[in-house]
């Protein structure tokens, strides 16, 4: 269980301080999914980085299973906004970066993850030889390589075409169900939030506050996009964002 209590994130000091997150509280239980949606620049990444243990909240607390989060932890994976691939490393090396950095030799499970993501055939290619969609999937493979309990995604599919996006959203749904991690997905895409979030927290303009939490219990099947419940959730999200 990850618990975010009254978290404030500020950059800089005193008069020059920029407040990015303004007293957000939320929690994610094991195996749950939560989407965070909000306008550009509102503080989404700041909040997610705090949940990754990379940014220390100015006020408030973040705890994992009752223990204060003070630094990055192996069981919490973060997928960055641009996938964060190293151009001089192959797909396989990028996917296993944490293991390589730990000087621990990657295990066979890593190959299974690449196959699961449809990257087995391109494992020896470099990022410049991949499509955008493949690059994003390498970012996912890297995050999965440590078998995380919590998967944090920062706009993982931004600027992909609609069909590629939906195909990878389908993949995320299958991975979430199969690997049973808690998913926290930051997005500014209403459909993506409605497809992948069991709950969707709608954030305000900067500094981010929770405007509304929309429950979306009917999500979880690949055909959810074709249902009335999906359209209704998307409509509620749009209304909350516009308020
Ligand atoms: N390291 C930093 N130092 C100073 N200010 C920062 C830093 N990181 C972010 N900010 C500021 O905090 C605010 C929120 O930024 P953040 O990246 O969290 O928003 P976001 O919602 O993720 O934006 P986007 O939709 O563009 O990804 C912005 O005003 C930004 O300029
Ligand atoms: Mg961001």
């Amino acid at each position: 269980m990850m618990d975010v209590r009254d978290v404030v994130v500020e950059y800089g000091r005193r008069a020059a301080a920029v407040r990015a997150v303004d007293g957000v509280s939320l929690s994610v239980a094991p195996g749950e999914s939560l989407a965070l949606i909000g306008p550009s620049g509102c503080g989404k990444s700041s909040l997610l980085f705090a949940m990754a243990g990379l940014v220390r909240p100015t006020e408030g607390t973040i705890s994992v299973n009752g223990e204060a989060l003070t630094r990055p932890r192996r069981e919490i994976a973060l997928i960055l906004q641009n996938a964060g691939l190293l151009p001089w490393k192959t797909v396989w090396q990028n996917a296993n970066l944490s293991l390589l950095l730990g000087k621990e030799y990657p295990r066979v499970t890593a190959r299974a993850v690449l196959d699961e993501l449809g990257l087995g055939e391109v494992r020896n290619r470099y990022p410049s030889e991949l499509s955008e969609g493949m690059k994003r999937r390498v970012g996912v493979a890297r995050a999965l390589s440590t078998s995380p309990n919590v998967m944090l995604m920062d706009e993982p599919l931004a600027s992909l075409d609609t069909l590629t996006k939906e195909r990878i959203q389908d993949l995320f749904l299958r991975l979430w169900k199969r690997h049973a991690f808690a998913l926290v997905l930051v997005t500014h895409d209403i459909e993506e939030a409605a497809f992948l979030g069991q709950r969707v927290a709608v954030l305000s303009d900067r500094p981010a506050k929770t405007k509304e939490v929309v429950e979306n219990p009917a999500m979880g099947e690949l055909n959810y996009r074709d249902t009335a419940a999906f359209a209704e959730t998307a409509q509620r999200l749009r209304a909350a964002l516009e308020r």
Side-chain angles (χ1 to χ4, degrees), residues 61-81:
T61 54
I62 300 180
S63 63
V64 180
N65 299 328
E67 198 185 312
L69 181 70
T70 52
R71 59 189 152 77
R73 288 160 64 145
R74 204 182 177 83
E75 69 264 29
I76 304 175
L78 173 66
I79 298 180
L80 296 170
Q81 219 159 329

Side-chain angles (χ1 to χ4, degrees), residues 149-165:
N149 298 326
V150 180
M151 176 73 84
L152 308 175
M153 298 185 175
D154 193 1
E155 298 192 40
L157 306 179
S159 72
L160 290 179
D161 65 272
T162 308
L163 282 181
T164 305
K165 210 186 248 191

Side-chain angles (χ1 to χ4, degrees), residues 11-12 18-21 38-47 81 154-155 186 188 206:
Y11 298 104
V18 173
R19 186 168 283 220
V21 179
S40 196
C42 76
K44 301 182 295 297
S45 295
S46 301
L47 177 59
Q81 219 159 329
D154 193 1
E155 298 192 40
V186 163
H188 54 227
R206 189 176 70 81

